[in-house]
Amino acid sequence: GAGVSQSPRYKVAKRGQDVALRCDPISGHVSLFWYQQALGQGPEFLTYFQNEAQLDKSGLPSDRFFAERPEGSVSTLKIQRTQQEDSAVYLCASSLGVTGEQYFGPGTRLTVT
Amino acid sequence: GENVEQHPSTLSVQEGDSAVIKCTYSDSASNYFPWYKQELGKGPQLIIDIRSNVGEKKDQRIAVTLNKTAKHFSLHITETQPEDSAVYFCAASILGPGNEKLTFGTGTRLTIIP
């Protein structure tokens, strides 16, 4: 079946611009996660939804980062007033629930110039 | 919070030999330990996982062991093949109602030498 999809795959933004990154989870998956992966590093947790409820946003680095999942399916990660340090790959993952098994999308590579 | 350390950062192995990657975790409450393989330009792919009530799990050429007392777990790949070349990440989680986040290690770049 279809896996997790993310769009766009690549995004270049000028410093100060706002960006929106989209994630389509696997159909029927209750939980959705956003991670940030810097070059040469492991993914770092940003935020997590169970259906439409955002249960944990402890990893969001600043109030410029905002995520939503209004209908419990597609999710959007928004970054306002982008900074160079926001340059990274943003990964989305989904799971059936408290099974632990998270399935990742291909990521969106964000470059802030 | 949870801290996961992973060693080595790079590993080169002759084709057909075995590869071992080790991770340690800090929070004794962690109960779920997945391993991911990441190829260039792709997202991490779940290859095997283990839960805290199990000491060892095997799937064909891949096995994972868990030592809860020492708080470490390892990935073993036998009969390595060129397609095993990738970056491997371990992770740990305290799975429970309202918590599913993964804490990842820093990765091991595995190169299989033909």
Side-chain angles (χ1 to χ4, degrees):
Chain A
V4 178
S5 61
Q6 293 186 246
S7 60
R9 290 294 315 278
Y10 304 91
K11 177 70 179 177
V12 178
K14 291 189 191 302
R15 192 175 59 176
Q17 285 184 333
D18 298 349
V19 298
L21 313 180
R22 177 187 168 106
C23 173
D24 281 86
I26 294 171
S27 178
H29 276 197
V30 169
S31 299
L32 185 145
F33 309 82
W34 285 98
Y35 292 84
Q36 180 190 60
Q37 187 174 26
L39 194 63
Q41 299 296 314
E44 290 195 1
F45 172 81
L46 294 177
T47 187
Y48 148 53
F49 293 84
Q50 203 169 79
N51 296 305
E52 67 278 6
Q54 189 173 18
L55 297 189
D56 187 347
K57 53 182 181 179
S58 62
L60 296 176
S62 78
D63 59 8
R64 296 185 296 104
F65 287 70
F66 173 76
E68 60 184 5
R69 193 186 186 199
E71 296 177 359
S73 178
V74 170
S75 177
T76 304
L77 176 67
K78 297 179 179 178
I79 308 173
Q80 296 178 323
R81 304 181 304 281
T82 52
Q83 304 294 315
Q84 280 195 314
E85 60 263 29
D86 300 335
S87 296
V89 174
Y90 291 84
L91 294 164
C92 177
S94 69
S95 80
L96 280 169
V98 192
T99 63
E101 297 169 357
Q102 294 183 24
Y103 297 91
F104 282 80
T108 294
R109 180 176 296 278
L110 173 65
T111 303
V112 181
T113 61
Chain B
E2 174 70 281
N3 182 51
V4 177
E5 295 191 355
Q6 183 172 346
H7 301 281
S9 56
T10 61
L11 180 61
S12 293
V13 171
Q14 207 71 37
E15 182 179 353
D17 287 351
S18 296
V20 180
I21 303 170
K22 299 182 178 182
C23 289
T24 60
Y25 60 98
S26 61
D27 195 329
S28 56
S30 290
N31 57 11
Y32 176 65
F33 307 91
W35 286 88
Y36 285 85
K37 175 183 181 183
Q38 189 172 29
E39 297 174 320
L40 198 62
K42 297 185 178 180
Q45 175 194 359
L46 179 65
I47 56 172
I48 194 167
D49 57 13
I50 193 167
R51 298 171 197 271
S52 59
N53 58 347
V54 175
E56 183 173 357
K57 184 176 177 180
K58 189 172 181 180
D59 182 5
Q60 298 183 355
R61 298 187 297 109
I62 293 173
V64 58
T65 59
L66 171 65
N67 183 327
K68 284 191 296 183
T69 303
K71 290 190 284 189
H72 68 68
F73 56 113
S74 301
L75 177 72
H76 304 252
I77 306 174
T78 59
E79 301 171 17
T80 53
Q81 300 168 3
E83 53 265 36
D84 295 330
S85 294
V87 179
Y88 290 80
F89 292 98
C90 62
S93 178
I94 307 171
L95 277 189
N99 186 62
E100 298 178 55
K101 73 178 181 184
L102 297 176
T103 301
F104 283 84
T106 49
T108 297
R109 181 174 298 279
L110 175 63
T111 302
I112 307 302
I113 304 164

PDB file of all heavy atoms in Angstrom, chain B residues 36-70:
ATOM      1  N   TYR B  36      16.599   1.560  12.522  1.00  0.00           N
ATOM      2  CA  TYR B  36      16.229   2.071  11.216  1.00  0.00           C
ATOM      3  C   TYR B  36      17.447   2.083  10.297  1.00  0.00           C
ATOM      4  O   TYR B  36      18.570   2.312  10.733  1.00  0.00           O
ATOM      5  CB  TYR B  36      15.679   3.501  11.328  1.00  0.00           C
ATOM      6  CG  TYR B  36      14.275   3.565  11.884  1.00  0.00           C
ATOM      7  CD1 TYR B  36      14.045   3.573  13.252  1.00  0.00           C
ATOM      8  CD2 TYR B  36      13.174   3.621  11.028  1.00  0.00           C
ATOM      9  CE1 TYR B  36      12.755   3.632  13.763  1.00  0.00           C
ATOM     10  CE2 TYR B  36      11.875   3.680  11.531  1.00  0.00           C
ATOM     11  CZ  TYR B  36      11.680   3.685  12.890  1.00  0.00           C
ATOM     12  OH  TYR B  36      10.402   3.741  13.386  1.00  0.00           O
ATOM     13  N   LYS B  37      17.180   1.876   9.014  1.00  0.00           N
ATOM     14  CA  LYS B  37      18.194   1.965   7.957  1.00  0.00           C
ATOM     15  C   LYS B  37      17.828   3.154   7.092  1.00  0.00           C
ATOM     16  O   LYS B  37      16.675   3.288   6.665  1.00  0.00           O
ATOM     17  CB  LYS B  37      18.176   0.672   7.136  1.00  0.00           C
ATOM     18  CG  LYS B  37      19.086   0.665   5.921  1.00  0.00           C
ATOM     19  CD  LYS B  37      18.912  -0.647   5.139  1.00  0.00           C
ATOM     20  CE  LYS B  37      19.807  -0.711   3.926  1.00  0.00           C
ATOM     21  NZ  LYS B  37      19.580  -1.960   3.135  1.00  0.00           N
ATOM     22  N   GLN B  38      18.791   4.034   6.837  1.00  0.00           N
ATOM     23  CA  GLN B  38      18.522   5.194   6.007  1.00  0.00           C
ATOM     24  C   GLN B  38      19.490   5.252   4.848  1.00  0.00           C
ATOM     25  O   GLN B  38      20.705   5.353   5.044  1.00  0.00           O
ATOM     26  CB  GLN B  38      18.588   6.493   6.826  1.00  0.00           C
ATOM     27  CG  GLN B  38      18.108   7.711   6.045  1.00  0.00           C
ATOM     28  CD  GLN B  38      17.995   8.957   6.910  1.00  0.00           C
ATOM     29  OE1 GLN B  38      18.711   9.112   7.893  1.00  0.00           O
ATOM     30  NE2 GLN B  38      17.087   9.852   6.557  1.00  0.00           N
ATOM     31  N   GLU B  39      18.964   5.216   3.646  1.00  0.00           N
ATOM     32  CA  GLU B  39      19.764   5.371   2.436  1.00  0.00           C
ATOM     33  C   GLU B  39      19.728   6.824   1.996  1.00  0.00           C
ATOM     34  O   GLU B  39      18.826   7.587   2.371  1.00  0.00           O
ATOM     35  CB  GLU B  39      19.246   4.421   1.351  1.00  0.00           C
ATOM     36  CG  GLU B  39      19.395   2.957   1.749  1.00  0.00           C
ATOM     37  CD  GLU B  39      18.770   1.990   0.768  1.00  0.00           C
ATOM     38  OE1 GLU B  39      17.678   2.290   0.252  1.00  0.00           O
ATOM     39  OE2 GLU B  39      19.373   0.936   0.522  1.00  0.00           O
ATOM     40  N   LEU B  40      20.692   7.195   1.193  1.00  0.00           N
ATOM     41  CA  LEU B  40      20.859   8.588   0.803  1.00  0.00           C
ATOM     42  C   LEU B  40      19.597   9.125   0.133  1.00  0.00           C
ATOM     43  O   LEU B  40      19.058   8.518  -0.784  1.00  0.00           O
ATOM     44  CB  LEU B  40      22.054   8.695  -0.153  1.00  0.00           C
ATOM     45  CG  LEU B  40      22.646  10.085  -0.337  1.00  0.00           C
ATOM     46  CD1 LEU B  40      23.186  10.613   0.988  1.00  0.00           C
ATOM     47  CD2 LEU B  40      23.762  10.050  -1.383  1.00  0.00           C
ATOM     48  N   GLY B  41      19.118  10.258   0.657  1.00  0.00           N
ATOM     49  CA  GLY B  41      17.960  10.897   0.049  1.00  0.00           C
ATOM     50  C   GLY B  41      16.622  10.278   0.401  1.00  0.00           C
ATOM     51  O   GLY B  41      15.583  10.665  -0.149  1.00  0.00           O
ATOM     52  N   LYS B  42      16.638   9.306   1.324  1.00  0.00           N
ATOM     53  CA  LYS B  42      15.391   8.633   1.706  1.00  0.00           C
ATOM     54  C   LYS B  42      15.116   8.791   3.198  1.00  0.00           C
ATOM     55  O   LYS B  42      16.011   9.158   3.974  1.00  0.00           O
ATOM     56  CB  LYS B  42      15.460   7.153   1.354  1.00  0.00           C
ATOM     57  CG  LYS B  42      15.601   6.893  -0.142  1.00  0.00           C
ATOM     58  CD  LYS B  42      15.542   5.405  -0.442  1.00  0.00           C
ATOM     59  CE  LYS B  42      15.632   5.150  -1.927  1.00  0.00           C
ATOM     60  NZ  LYS B  42      15.570   3.700  -2.241  1.00  0.00           N
ATOM     61  N   GLY B  43      13.890   8.499   3.586  1.00  0.00           N
ATOM     62  CA  GLY B  43      13.557   8.508   4.996  1.00  0.00           C
ATOM     63  C   GLY B  43      14.020   7.229   5.671  1.00  0.00           C
ATOM     64  O   GLY B  43      14.304   6.230   5.007  1.00  0.00           O
ATOM     65  N   PRO B  44      14.122   7.230   7.004  1.00  0.00           N
ATOM     66  CA  PRO B  44      14.513   6.013   7.722  1.00  0.00           C
ATOM     67  C   PRO B  44      13.492   4.891   7.503  1.00  0.00           C
ATOM     68  O   PRO B  44      12.287   5.135   7.483  1.00  0.00           O
ATOM     69  CB  PRO B  44      14.526   6.462   9.185  1.00  0.00           C
ATOM     70  CG  PRO B  44      14.660   7.951   9.147  1.00  0.00           C
ATOM     71  CD  PRO B  44      13.942   8.373   7.901  1.00  0.00           C
ATOM     72  N   GLN B  45      14.029   3.668   7.354  1.00  0.00           N
ATOM     73  CA  GLN B  45      13.195   2.483   7.138  1.00  0.00           C
ATOM     74  C   GLN B  45      13.335   1.557   8.342  1.00  0.00           C
ATOM     75  O   GLN B  45      14.453   1.159   8.693  1.00  0.00           O
ATOM     76  CB  GLN B  45      13.647   1.773   5.863  1.00  0.00           C
ATOM     77  CG  GLN B  45      12.928   0.461   5.593  1.00  0.00           C
ATOM     78  CD  GLN B  45      13.631  -0.369   4.520  1.00  0.00           C
ATOM     79  OE1 GLN B  45      14.647   0.039   3.961  1.00  0.00           O
ATOM     80  NE2 GLN B  45      13.107  -1.530   4.235  1.00  0.00           N
ATOM     81  N   LEU B  46      12.223   1.212   8.968  1.00  0.00           N
ATOM     82  CA  LEU B  46      12.241   0.304  10.116  1.00  0.00           C
ATOM     83  C   LEU B  46      12.687  -1.087   9.654  1.00  0.00           C
ATOM     84  O   LEU B  46      12.102  -1.658   8.727  1.00  0.00           O
ATOM     85  CB  LEU B  46      10.850   0.230  10.733  1.00  0.00           C
ATOM     86  CG  LEU B  46      10.665  -0.700  11.932  1.00  0.00           C
ATOM     87  CD1 LEU B  46      11.481  -0.214  13.124  1.00  0.00           C
ATOM     88  CD2 LEU B  46       9.186  -0.797  12.304  1.00  0.00           C
ATOM     89  N   ILE B  47      13.747  -1.626  10.288  1.00  0.00           N
ATOM     90  CA  ILE B  47      14.227  -2.945   9.874  1.00  0.00           C
ATOM     91  C   ILE B  47      13.986  -4.015  10.935  1.00  0.00           C
ATOM     92  O   ILE B  47      13.788  -5.191  10.604  1.00  0.00           O
ATOM     93  CB  ILE B  47      15.719  -2.925   9.477  1.00  0.00           C
ATOM     94  CG1 ILE B  47      16.610  -2.378  10.609  1.00  0.00           C
ATOM     95  CG2 ILE B  47      15.919  -2.129   8.193  1.00  0.00           C
ATOM     96  CD1 ILE B  47      18.110  -2.532  10.328  1.00  0.00           C
ATOM     97  N   ILE B  48      13.987  -3.635  12.190  1.00  0.00           N
ATOM     98  CA  ILE B  48      13.713  -4.585  13.255  1.00  0.00           C
ATOM     99  C   ILE B  48      13.497  -3.799  14.537  1.00  0.00           C
ATOM    100  O   ILE B  48      13.982  -2.677  14.663  1.00  0.00           O
ATOM    101  CB  ILE B  48      14.868  -5.611  13.408  1.00  0.00           C
ATOM    102  CG1 ILE B  48      14.440  -6.815  14.272  1.00  0.00           C
ATOM    103  CG2 ILE B  48      16.114  -4.960  13.981  1.00  0.00           C
ATOM    104  CD1 ILE B  48      15.404  -8.000  14.204  1.00  0.00           C
ATOM    105  N   ASP B  49      12.750  -4.367  15.464  1.00  0.00           N
ATOM    106  CA  ASP B  49      12.564  -3.711  16.754  1.00  0.00           C
ATOM    107  C   ASP B  49      12.483  -4.763  17.853  1.00  0.00           C
ATOM    108  O   ASP B  49      12.289  -5.952  17.586  1.00  0.00           O
ATOM    109  CB  ASP B  49      11.332  -2.807  16.768  1.00  0.00           C
ATOM    110  CG  ASP B  49      10.041  -3.548  16.414  1.00  0.00           C
ATOM    111  OD1 ASP B  49      10.037  -4.795  16.386  1.00  0.00           O
ATOM    112  OD2 ASP B  49       9.032  -2.863  16.149  1.00  0.00           O
ATOM    113  N   ILE B  50      12.673  -4.326  19.088  1.00  0.00           N
ATOM    114  CA  ILE B  50      12.602  -5.227  20.231  1.00  0.00           C
ATOM    115  C   ILE B  50      11.957  -4.501  21.392  1.00  0.00           C
ATOM    116  O   ILE B  50      12.125  -3.288  21.542  1.00  0.00           O
ATOM    117  CB  ILE B  50      14.007  -5.787  20.585  1.00  0.00           C
ATOM    118  CG1 ILE B  50      13.910  -6.954  21.566  1.00  0.00           C
ATOM    119  CG2 ILE B  50      14.909  -4.683  21.131  1.00  0.00           C
ATOM    120  CD1 ILE B  50      15.207  -7.748  21.700  1.00  0.00           C
ATOM    121  N   ARG B  51      11.217  -5.243  22.176  1.00  0.00           N
ATOM    122  CA  ARG B  51      10.553  -4.657  23.341  1.00  0.00           C
ATOM    123  C   ARG B  51      11.217  -5.177  24.603  1.00  0.00           C
ATOM    124  O   ARG B  51      11.903  -6.204  24.583  1.00  0.00           O
ATOM    125  CB  ARG B  51       9.067  -4.977  23.297  1.00  0.00           C
ATOM    126  CG  ARG B  51       8.427  -4.369  22.058  1.00  0.00           C
ATOM    127  CD  ARG B  51       7.011  -4.759  21.768  1.00  0.00           C
ATOM    128  NE  ARG B  51       6.706  -4.423  20.382  1.00  0.00           N
ATOM    129  CZ  ARG B  51       6.225  -3.241  20.000  1.00  0.00           C
ATOM    130  NH1 ARG B  51       5.979  -2.300  20.893  1.00  0.00           N
ATOM    131  NH2 ARG B  51       5.979  -3.000  18.721  1.00  0.00           N
ATOM    132  N   SER B  52      10.982  -4.489  25.721  1.00  0.00           N
ATOM    133  CA  SER B  52      11.773  -4.753  26.922  1.00  0.00           C
ATOM    134  C   SER B  52      11.494  -6.100  27.561  1.00  0.00           C
ATOM    135  O   SER B  52      12.247  -6.525  28.444  1.00  0.00           O
ATOM    136  CB  SER B  52      11.563  -3.638  27.945  1.00  0.00           C
ATOM    137  OG  SER B  52      10.204  -3.537  28.282  1.00  0.00           O
ATOM    138  N   ASN B  53      10.448  -6.778  27.140  1.00  0.00           N
ATOM    139  CA  ASN B  53      10.154  -8.091  27.719  1.00  0.00           C
ATOM    140  C   ASN B  53      10.822  -9.228  26.944  1.00  0.00           C
ATOM    141  O   ASN B  53      10.592 -10.404  27.222  1.00  0.00           O
ATOM    142  CB  ASN B  53       8.637  -8.317  27.776  1.00  0.00           C
ATOM    143  CG  ASN B  53       7.976  -8.228  26.408  1.00  0.00           C
ATOM    144  OD1 ASN B  53       8.582  -7.771  25.445  1.00  0.00           O
ATOM    145  ND2 ASN B  53       6.733  -8.668  26.329  1.00  0.00           N
ATOM    146  N   VAL B  54      11.666  -8.848  25.972  1.00  0.00           N
ATOM    147  CA  VAL B  54      12.342  -9.835  25.123  1.00  0.00           C
ATOM    148  C   VAL B  54      13.834  -9.553  25.141  1.00  0.00           C
ATOM    149  O   VAL B  54      14.244  -8.391  25.124  1.00  0.00           O
ATOM    150  CB  VAL B  54      11.810  -9.762  23.671  1.00  0.00           C
ATOM    151  CG1 VAL B  54      12.583 -10.681  22.761  1.00  0.00           C
ATOM    152  CG2 VAL B  54      10.325 -10.087  23.633  1.00  0.00           C
ATOM    153  N   GLY B  55      14.666 -10.599  25.150  1.00  0.00           N
ATOM    154  CA  GLY B  55      16.106 -10.393  25.193  1.00  0.00           C
ATOM    155  C   GLY B  55      16.761 -10.412  23.827  1.00  0.00           C
ATOM    156  O   GLY B  55      17.822  -9.819  23.639  1.00  0.00           O
ATOM    157  N   GLU B  56      16.128 -11.106  22.881  1.00  0.00           N
ATOM    158  CA  GLU B  56      16.733 -11.231  21.558  1.00  0.00           C
ATOM    159  C   GLU B  56      15.624 -11.448  20.527  1.00  0.00           C
ATOM    160  O   GLU B  56      14.596 -12.080  20.805  1.00  0.00           O
ATOM    161  CB  GLU B  56      17.715 -12.405  21.525  1.00  0.00           C
ATOM    162  CG  GLU B  56      18.449 -12.560  20.210  1.00  0.00           C
ATOM    163  CD  GLU B  56      19.537 -13.628  20.261  1.00  0.00           C
ATOM    164  OE1 GLU B  56      19.756 -14.218  21.340  1.00  0.00           O
ATOM    165  OE2 GLU B  56      20.186 -13.866  19.218  1.00  0.00           O
ATOM    166  N   LYS B  57      15.861 -10.926  19.328  1.00  0.00           N
ATOM    167  CA  LYS B  57      14.910 -11.111  18.237  1.00  0.00           C
ATOM    168  C   LYS B  57      15.696 -11.236  16.949  1.00  0.00           C
ATOM    169  O   LYS B  57      16.693 -10.524  16.757  1.00  0.00           O
ATOM    170  CB  LYS B  57      13.951  -9.929  18.163  1.00  0.00           C
ATOM    171  CG  LYS B  57      12.853 -10.047  17.118  1.00  0.00           C
ATOM    172  CD  LYS B  57      11.920  -8.841  17.227  1.00  0.00           C
ATOM    173  CE  LYS B  57      10.845  -8.864  16.176  1.00  0.00           C
ATOM    174  NZ  LYS B  57       9.954  -7.674  16.299  1.00  0.00           N
ATOM    175  N   LYS B  58      15.259 -12.149  16.078  1.00  0.00           N
ATOM    176  CA  LYS B  58      16.002 -12.380  14.837  1.00  0.00           C
ATOM    177  C   LYS B  58      15.040 -12.366  13.656  1.00  0.00           C
ATOM    178  O   LYS B  58      13.915 -12.850  13.743  1.00  0.00           O
ATOM    179  CB  LYS B  58      16.719 -13.730  14.918  1.00  0.00           C
ATOM    180  CG  LYS B  58      17.689 -13.980  13.791  1.00  0.00           C
ATOM    181  CD  LYS B  58      18.504 -15.250  14.026  1.00  0.00           C
ATOM    182  CE  LYS B  58      19.493 -15.481  12.897  1.00  0.00           C
ATOM    183  NZ  LYS B  58      20.293 -16.706  13.083  1.00  0.00           N
ATOM    184  N   ASP B  59      15.526 -11.811  12.545  1.00  0.00           N
ATOM    185  CA  ASP B  59      14.758 -11.808  11.302  1.00  0.00           C
ATOM    186  C   ASP B  59      15.738 -12.021  10.163  1.00  0.00           C
ATOM    187  O   ASP B  59      16.424 -11.097   9.741  1.00  0.00           O
ATOM    188  CB  ASP B  59      14.003 -10.490  11.138  1.00  0.00           C
ATOM    189  CG  ASP B  59      13.144 -10.447   9.881  1.00  0.00           C
ATOM    190  OD1 ASP B  59      13.061 -11.475   9.183  1.00  0.00           O
ATOM    191  OD2 ASP B  59      12.563  -9.387   9.597  1.00  0.00           O
ATOM    192  N   GLN B  60      15.848 -13.238   9.707  1.00  0.00           N
ATOM    193  CA  GLN B  60      16.769 -13.636   8.637  1.00  0.00           C
ATOM    194  C   GLN B  60      18.193 -13.252   9.031  1.00  0.00           C
ATOM    195  O   GLN B  60      18.716 -13.805  10.006  1.00  0.00           O
ATOM    196  CB  GLN B  60      16.319 -13.006   7.318  1.00  0.00           C
ATOM    197  CG  GLN B  60      14.925 -13.479   6.905  1.00  0.00           C
ATOM    198  CD  GLN B  60      14.465 -12.945   5.556  1.00  0.00           C
ATOM    199  OE1 GLN B  60      15.119 -12.136   4.916  1.00  0.00           O
ATOM    200  NE2 GLN B  60      13.326 -13.435   5.095  1.00  0.00           N
ATOM    201  N   ARG B  61      18.836 -12.339   8.305  1.00  0.00           N
ATOM    202  CA  ARG B  61      20.249 -12.007   8.598  1.00  0.00           C
ATOM    203  C   ARG B  61      20.420 -10.960   9.683  1.00  0.00           C
ATOM    204  O   ARG B  61      21.542 -10.587  10.033  1.00  0.00           O
ATOM    205  CB  ARG B  61      20.927 -11.522   7.311  1.00  0.00           C
ATOM    206  CG  ARG B  61      20.973 -12.537   6.194  1.00  0.00           C
ATOM    207  CD  ARG B  61      21.808 -12.030   5.017  1.00  0.00           C
ATOM    208  NE  ARG B  61      21.223 -10.827   4.407  1.00  0.00           N
ATOM    209  CZ  ARG B  61      21.731  -9.611   4.509  1.00  0.00           C
ATOM    210  NH1 ARG B  61      22.839  -9.403   5.204  1.00  0.00           N
ATOM    211  NH2 ARG B  61      21.153  -8.600   3.899  1.00  0.00           N
ATOM    212  N   ILE B  62      19.319 -10.459  10.202  1.00  0.00           N
ATOM    213  CA  ILE B  62      19.383  -9.365  11.171  1.00  0.00           C
ATOM    214  C   ILE B  62      18.911  -9.857  12.532  1.00  0.00           C
ATOM    215  O   ILE B  62      17.901 -10.577  12.624  1.00  0.00           O
ATOM    216  CB  ILE B  62      18.497  -8.187  10.703  1.00  0.00           C
ATOM    217  CG1 ILE B  62      19.086  -7.578   9.433  1.00  0.00           C
ATOM    218  CG2 ILE B  62      18.373  -7.130  11.784  1.00  0.00           C
ATOM    219  CD1 ILE B  62      18.208  -6.531   8.802  1.00  0.00           C
ATOM    220  N   ALA B  63      19.627  -9.465  13.579  1.00  0.00           N
ATOM    221  CA  ALA B  63      19.220  -9.812  14.939  1.00  0.00           C
ATOM    222  C   ALA B  63      19.473  -8.613  15.841  1.00  0.00           C
ATOM    223  O   ALA B  63      20.367  -7.802  15.582  1.00  0.00           O
ATOM    224  CB  ALA B  63      19.984 -11.027  15.449  1.00  0.00           C
ATOM    225  N   VAL B  64      18.672  -8.509  16.885  1.00  0.00           N
ATOM    226  CA  VAL B  64      18.870  -7.460  17.882  1.00  0.00           C
ATOM    227  C   VAL B  64      18.867  -8.111  19.264  1.00  0.00           C
ATOM    228  O   VAL B  64      18.090  -9.035  19.519  1.00  0.00           O
ATOM    229  CB  VAL B  64      17.796  -6.358  17.757  1.00  0.00           C
ATOM    230  CG1 VAL B  64      16.410  -6.921  17.908  1.00  0.00           C
ATOM    231  CG2 VAL B  64      18.033  -5.252  18.755  1.00  0.00           C
ATOM    232  N   THR B  65      19.769  -7.661  20.133  1.00  0.00           N
ATOM    233  CA  THR B  65      19.827  -8.143  21.511  1.00  0.00           C
ATOM    234  C   THR B  65      19.621  -6.965  22.449  1.00  0.00           C
ATOM    235  O   THR B  65      19.994  -5.835  22.130  1.00  0.00           O
ATOM    236  CB  THR B  65      21.167  -8.832  21.809  1.00  0.00           C
ATOM    237  OG1 THR B  65      22.219  -7.891  21.584  1.00  0.00           O
ATOM    238  CG2 THR B  65      21.377 -10.041  20.914  1.00  0.00           C
ATOM    239  N   LEU B  66      19.039  -7.229  23.605  1.00  0.00           N
ATOM    240  CA  LEU B  66      18.764  -6.192  24.593  1.00  0.00           C
ATOM    241  C   LEU B  66      19.232  -6.661  25.959  1.00  0.00           C
ATOM    242  O   LEU B  66      18.891  -7.766  26.395  1.00  0.00           O
ATOM    243  CB  LEU B  66      17.260  -5.892  24.639  1.00  0.00           C
ATOM    244  CG  LEU B  66      16.765  -4.978  25.759  1.00  0.00           C
ATOM    245  CD1 LEU B  66      17.348  -3.573  25.608  1.00  0.00           C
ATOM    246  CD2 LEU B  66      15.241  -4.939  25.782  1.00  0.00           C
ATOM    247  N   ASN B  67      20.008  -5.816  26.630  1.00  0.00           N
ATOM    248  CA  ASN B  67      20.438  -6.079  27.997  1.00  0.00           C
ATOM    249  C   ASN B  67      19.879  -4.951  28.860  1.00  0.00           C
ATOM    250  O   ASN B  67      20.435  -3.851  28.903  1.00  0.00           O
ATOM    251  CB  ASN B  67      21.968  -6.132  28.087  1.00  0.00           C
ATOM    252  CG  ASN B  67      22.463  -6.468  29.481  1.00  0.00           C
ATOM    253  OD1 ASN B  67      21.849  -6.095  30.484  1.00  0.00           O
ATOM    254  ND2 ASN B  67      23.575  -7.165  29.552  1.00  0.00           N
ATOM    255  N   LYS B  68      18.757  -5.210  29.536  1.00  0.00           N
ATOM    256  CA  LYS B  68      18.087  -4.156  30.304  1.00  0.00           C
ATOM    257  C   LYS B  68      18.899  -3.724  31.516  1.00  0.00           C
ATOM    258  O   LYS B  68      18.898  -2.559  31.901  1.00  0.00           O
ATOM    259  CB  LYS B  68      16.703  -4.645  30.766  1.00  0.00           C
ATOM    260  CG  LYS B  68      15.666  -4.664  29.669  1.00  0.00           C
ATOM    261  CD  LYS B  68      14.278  -4.882  30.233  1.00  0.00           C
ATOM    262  CE  LYS B  68      14.158  -6.238  30.883  1.00  0.00           C
ATOM    263  NZ  LYS B  68      12.782  -6.492  31.387  1.00  0.00           N
ATOM    264  N   THR B  69      19.622  -4.666  32.102  1.00  0.00           N
ATOM    265  CA  THR B  69      20.415  -4.343  33.292  1.00  0.00           C
ATOM    266  C   THR B  69      21.496  -3.327  32.950  1.00  0.00           C
ATOM    267  O   THR B  69      21.711  -2.349  33.671  1.00  0.00           O
ATOM    268  CB  THR B  69      21.042  -5.616  33.874  1.00  0.00           C
ATOM    269  OG1 THR B  69      20.001  -6.547  34.165  1.00  0.00           O
ATOM    270  CG2 THR B  69      21.825  -5.294  35.140  1.00  0.00           C
ATOM    271  N   ALA B  70      22.167  -3.567  31.830  1.00  0.00           N
ATOM    272  CA  ALA B  70      23.245  -2.681  31.408  1.00  0.00           C
ATOM    273  C   ALA B  70      22.737  -1.513  30.578  1.00  0.00           C
ATOM    274  O   ALA B  70      23.506  -0.614  30.232  1.00  0.00           O
ATOM    275  CB  ALA B  70      24.283  -3.474  30.614  1.00  0.00           C
TER     276      ALA B  70
END
